[in-house]
Amino acid sequence: MFVIGSRIYKRVVLNFTTKNRNITTKKYRMKTEILEIYIQSVLPMKIEIAEKIASKFDRFELSKNEFILQENSISEDTYFLESGFVRSYTFDNNGNEVTTNIFSAPCFVNDFLSFFTQKPVKENYQTLSNCIFWKTNLENVQYNFHNIPEFREFSRLLFIINYYKLHDRMLEMVKENATLRYTKLLEKHPNIFQNASLKIIASYLGITDSSLSRIRKEISKI
């Protein structure tokens, strides 16, 4: 499953990048085009099917530092992040914020366990920049699941992708040193450093602010 997830995740990144290259030169069929492209990057399908899935989503915007979900709330919707950055965080035993994930568009952002079980969220999900989202509720997801075979396969692959990301991050935290984790984040997602404070990035990397400053100074000397 891990190998399959890795291949799917790499394919999604490649497919979305390839399809998105000419997005500014084409006339939009509809405002959901970026969502449709993402859906097709996960699972190639007829455009009419992708449009049908995307039609169940509603667009909204949030400014920097707003919440889409807060701890102990119920996730009534699932969210696709079209543009911007979001972080999830919780608190340790000493009351310090611990950033558990940083989401970079395009991707889905949600506490899927809360969404499908309707149990309280255990983290906070906060925007790091101005963001554009698309949301849909559980009723719409269930409708698509029972009426669109491609959506069932898309959902399965999406869960594999999320599992792979979670598993990969867990192994990175155990097997890689802080400097390597920092350089990999810088290479893969350089824009995060323009949208998240060093305190948030340090927390995400599992190190202190001072350790991150030291790593940055050492790298700048190379």
Side-chain angles (χ1 to χ4, degrees):
M1 186 174 186
F2 179 76
V3 175
I4 294 174
S6 175
R7 290 173 180 170
I8 291 172
Y9 176 63
K10 291 177 181 177
R11 188 191 74 201
V12 168
V13 173
L14 177 62
N15 286 353
F16 187 88
T17 302
T18 302
K19 292 182 179 181
N20 200 35
R21 283 174 184 162
N22 298 321
I23 193 169
T24 57
T25 64
K26 297 189 299 181
K27 183 177 180 180
Y28 283 3
R29 293 184 308 279
M30 58 177 66
K31 293 180 179 179
T32 57
E33 184 164 15
I34 292 180
L35 174 55
E36 293 167 22
I37 291 173
Y38 181 83
I39 291 171
Q40 290 180 299
S41 71
V42 175
L43 178 68
M45 65 182 72
K46 293 181 179 179
I47 185 60
E48 294 81 7
I49 302 299
E51 289 177 355
K52 187 175 182 180
I53 294 171
S55 69
K56 295 291 186 180
F57 286 75
D58 296 313
R59 184 183 186 275
F60 71 100
E61 298 182 17
L62 288 180
S63 299
K64 181 179 179 180
N65 293 329
E66 292 194 72
F67 290 92
I68 58 170
L69 287 170
Q70 289 184 278
E71 188 174 359
N72 294 321
S73 65
I74 302 293
S75 179
E76 302 289 347
D77 299 294
T78 187
Y79 306 94
F80 174 74
L81 179 62
E82 177 180 308
S83 67
F85 296 86
V86 173
R87 72 158 174 155
S88 57
Y89 72 92
T90 187
F91 297 91
D92 64 18
N93 292 332
N94 296 317
N96 300 310
E97 287 186 6
V98 178
T99 297
T100 55
N101 207 345
I102 298 178
F103 302 88
S104 174
C107 65
F108 276 85
V109 178
N110 201 3
D111 186 314
F112 288 106
L113 185 61
S114 174
F115 179 67
F116 285 109
T117 65
Q118 292 297 283
K119 293 182 178 180
V121 174
K122 295 183 178 180
E123 297 175 281
N124 300 284
Y125 291 74
Q126 183 183 36
T127 59
L128 294 174
S129 65
N130 295 337
C131 294
I132 298 175
F133 292 95
W134 293 85
K135 67 177 181 178
T136 192
N137 59 35
L138 185 58
E139 182 180 353
N140 287 334
V141 169
Q142 296 284 24
Y143 175 86
N144 283 342
F145 192 84
H146 291 295
N147 292 279
I148 306 176
E150 292 87 349
F151 182 76
R152 290 197 292 273
E153 181 63 10
F154 165 78
S155 299
R156 186 184 72 84
L157 294 178
L158 192 61
F159 276 111
I160 292 176
I161 291 168
N162 285 320
Y163 168 80
Y164 169 72
K165 288 181 178 179
L166 179 63
H167 190 273
D168 195 44
R169 172 162 164 73
M170 179 184 68
L171 291 178
E172 286 180 354
M173 296 297 289
V174 173
K175 301 179 70 173
E176 298 176 357
N177 61 44
T179 300
L180 180 57
R181 295 200 300 272
Y182 169 79
T183 54
K184 286 177 65 175
L185 182 64
L186 184 61
E187 290 172 0
K188 291 181 179 179
H189 304 288
N191 289 337
I192 286 178
F193 291 82
Q194 279 74 56
N195 291 275
S197 68
L198 293 181
K199 181 179 180 65
I200 289 175
I201 292 172
S203 175
Y204 175 70
L205 294 173
I207 58 179
T208 63
D209 301 7
S210 58
S211 294
L212 179 57
S213 296
R214 175 182 55 78
I215 291 171
R216 286 164 59 86
K217 288 180 181 178
E218 291 175 351
I219 291 177
S220 66
K221 295 177 182 178
I222 299 176

